[in-house]
């Protein structure tokens, strides 16, 4: 067992409150590309820049193109070892909250309950007319139109995610800030920490142990008490094994 894994396991076992703050790198081992990692979306050739197609302005002007793009990138995937470990830790009383920038819903799928999705969840649709929420799987499209229609009022449905040009939900931000501010250990994983305001939330941490799990350097590395460059899911597999061995979970 390497020293980093042992240290992290010890902190999780001993901390009165551990919180996880994650990004796209948490789901790459589930098969969803991140944005800025080695195989990220930013490095794939596209006619339209990502920030443009993912913006509320583009969605409003070109809903068909937006939905075509959505179906191109959407893929049903399974939680990986990191999502599963976080859910097990919560069930064992060792993880107070998961704050995620991801929209893939994999923390919920893995069984975590205290999850704050800063950017929404692409498994959900919301009606632009009446606000009705429906699972993506129940999306109704008519006559080959790629834009789903609301089953209640027939207005366009949209993914229940925060697009570029939109604000984050204030209630979700406040809950995430409160969890981070109370934490004695904060694990920041799989995020380049360049997307604001989400990345700024880790500045509310004033606890004892800041852990950075990221394949590449970030702006927060200088403040970290522990930096792990190994893949997030693999690291969690090892941490869970250690915690079980120690009888901590
Ligand atoms: P990012 O793409 O900017 O950065 C991901 C970081 O994770 C990179 O620094 C990369 O080196 C690292 N990384 C990738 N795989 C890793 C692994 N297995 N182990 C350790 N490190 C790994 O992601 P971000 O900071 O979350 O910002 C992207 C924005 O785009 C977010 O706001 C998010 O909403 C969205 N996004 C979401 C998903 C998703 O839901 N799965 C996927 C792509 C983008
Ligand atoms: Zn409606």
């Amino acid at each position: 067992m390497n020293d980093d894994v042992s240290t992290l396991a010890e902190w999780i076992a001993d901390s009165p409150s551990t919180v996880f703050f994650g990004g796209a790198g948490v789901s790459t081992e589930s098969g969803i590309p991140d944005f800025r990692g080695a195989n990220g979306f930013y490095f794939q050739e596209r006619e339209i820049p990502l920030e443009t197609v993912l913006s509320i302005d583009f969605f409003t002007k070109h809903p068909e193109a937006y939905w075509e793009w959505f179906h191109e990138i959407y893929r049903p995937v399974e939680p990986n070892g990191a999502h599963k470990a976080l859910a097990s830790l919560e069930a064992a009383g060792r993880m107070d909250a998961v704050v995620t920038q991801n929209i893939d819903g994999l923390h919920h799928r893995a069984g975590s309950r205290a999850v704050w999705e800063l950017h929404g969840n692409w498994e959900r649709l919301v009606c632009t007319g009446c606000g009705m929420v429906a699972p993506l799987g129940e999306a109704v499209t008519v006559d080959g139109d790629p834009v789903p229609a609301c089953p209640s009022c027939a207005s366009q449905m949209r993914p229940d995610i925060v697009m570029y040009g939109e604000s984050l939900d204030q209630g979700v931000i406040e809950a995430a800030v409160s969890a981070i501010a109370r934490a004695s250990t904060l694990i920041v994983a799989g995020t380049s920490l360049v997307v604001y305001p989400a990345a700024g939330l880790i500045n509310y941490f004033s606890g004892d142990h800041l852990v950075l799990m990221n394949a590449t350097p970030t702006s927060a590395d200088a403040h970290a008490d522990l930096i792990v460059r190994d893949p997030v899911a693999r690291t969690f597999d090892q941490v869970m094994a250690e915690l079980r061995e120690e009888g901590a979970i």
Side-chain angles (χ1 to χ4, degrees), residues 23-24 28-29 34-36 101 103-104 119 191-192 214-216 232:
T28 50
E29 288 161 271
D34 60 10
F35 276 0
R36 297 172 193 82
Q101 301 166 83
I103 58 168
D104 53 41
H119 296 153
T191 170
S192 58
N214 209 65
T216 47
V232 180

Side-chain angles (χ1 to χ4, degrees), residues 10 20 25-26 30 32 49 57 80 89 95 101 135 156 163 187 196 216 221:
E10 195 183 309
F20 181 87
V26 176
S30 285
I32 306 180
D57 190 45
N80 63 44
L89 288 171
M95 185 60 57
Q101 301 166 83
Q156 288 179 355
M163 300 187 203
I187 303 170
Y196 279 79
T216 47
D221 286 12

